[in-house]
Amino acid sequence: MLANPEVWTMIFKGSWATIYMTLISTVLAYVIGLPLGIILVVTDKKGIHPIRPLNLILNIIVNIMRSIPFLILMIAIIPFTRAVVGSAIGEKATIVALVVSAAPFIARMVESSLKEVDAGVIEAAQSMGASTMQIISRVFLSEALPSLINGAAISITTILGYSAMAGIVGGTGLGAIAINYGYHRYKGDVMWVCVAFLVIIVQVLQEIGMWFARKSDKRI
């Protein structure tokens, strides 16, 4: 089957669809997850502006969302997906599910990165009269930048893995090709080529992320 040029065209289109869904989903998930992670750190009982009830509610929501397997979540939010993009299948529908699933994961990644910032640096900023927003932008985000970029590299590869699973319920990309044309039609060569392409994409994205993390690390 791999001798057919149309199959390779399909695989290359699937690769681009996978990259597109992954990148767009990552950006949109960070739009939600980054501020959510910041709020979790700031409102913590040891944070710079503790708000225990808000922190507790957000922690519960994040924990619940992270506990739901992606495939189950994708099926469960089909009505929401239809309301947002008008369809429950295809790239746009997959992106909605990826964002909903990845945002809580990213929030935890951001929270973990920000909590690595030296407490002494935060206290020094507070003693100089820095506002909450100034501490967030000039201390937390600045000091934790390498860790945040490392977290982004991990997040993007995780989201790519989710996008491959979306093929089971009508998603697109390499995952859908591997399942629909490889597994269901007993074309093992197609399935393993799709797997190889996924591995290559993961490695490339991971290396790019690590390169940016090293460049942003002031200690190096």
Side-chain angles (χ1 to χ4, degrees):
M1 193 169 184
L2 288 177
N4 188 343
E6 292 182 0
V7 173
W8 285 105
T9 300
M10 178 179 62
I11 291 173
F12 283 122
K13 286 183 178 179
S15 299
W16 284 115
T18 296
I19 294 170
Y20 169 78
M21 289 188 298
T22 300
L23 295 180
I24 297 298
S25 299
T26 301
V27 171
L28 294 177
Y30 261 92
V31 170
I32 300 171
L34 179 61
L36 183 56
I38 293 172
I39 293 171
L40 285 169
V41 172
V42 171
T43 61
D44 186 70
K45 62 181 179 180
K46 295 182 180 179
I48 59 176
H49 191 67
I51 306 177
R52 186 59 180 165
L54 175 60
N55 187 269
L56 180 62
I57 292 170
L58 291 179
N59 266 299
I60 291 172
I61 293 172
V62 169
N63 288 338
I64 290 173
M65 294 301 295
R66 287 192 63 205
S67 301
I68 304 174
F70 175 69
L71 287 177
I72 296 175
L73 178 65
M74 189 173 186
I75 295 170
I77 65 169
I78 282 177
F80 173 74
T81 303
R82 281 203 184 101
V84 174
V85 297
S87 174
I89 60 175
E91 288 182 9
K92 292 182 179 179
T94 302
I95 289 172
V96 173
L98 290 173
V99 172
V100 172
S101 179
F105 174 78
I106 288 171
R108 285 297 186 211
M109 295 292 290
V110 171
E111 180 187 21
S112 176
S113 295
L114 298 185
K115 284 186 174 181
E116 292 176 4
V117 176
D118 188 352
V121 179
I122 299 171
E123 291 172 1
Q126 288 176 314
S127 67
M128 290 187 289
S131 65
T132 299
M133 290 305 299
Q134 287 174 328
I135 293 174
I136 291 172
S137 61
R138 299 179 183 179
V139 179
F140 275 125
L141 296 179
S142 177
E143 293 293 320
L145 186 58
S147 180
L148 287 170
I149 296 176
N150 269 324
I154 295 171
S155 298
I156 199 169
T157 53
T158 301
I159 293 171
L160 190 146
Y162 288 165
S163 74
M165 288 189 286
I168 296 175
V169 287
T172 60
L174 289 171
I177 296 171
I179 293 166
N180 297 327
Y181 291 89
Y183 179 74
H184 289 309
R185 298 187 183 185
Y186 304 102
K187 304 296 183 182
D189 51 353
V190 174
M191 184 176 69
W192 285 111
V193 167
C194 289
V195 171
F197 271 64
L198 284 169
V199 170
I200 292 170
I201 293 171
V202 167
Q203 293 301 316
V204 170
L205 293 176
Q206 188 77 44
E207 285 301 316
I208 291 173
M210 296 302 292
W211 183 83
F212 277 110
R214 289 192 296 268
K215 285 291 183 181
S216 65
D217 196 338
K218 300 173 184 177
R219 297 167 297 180
I220 299 178

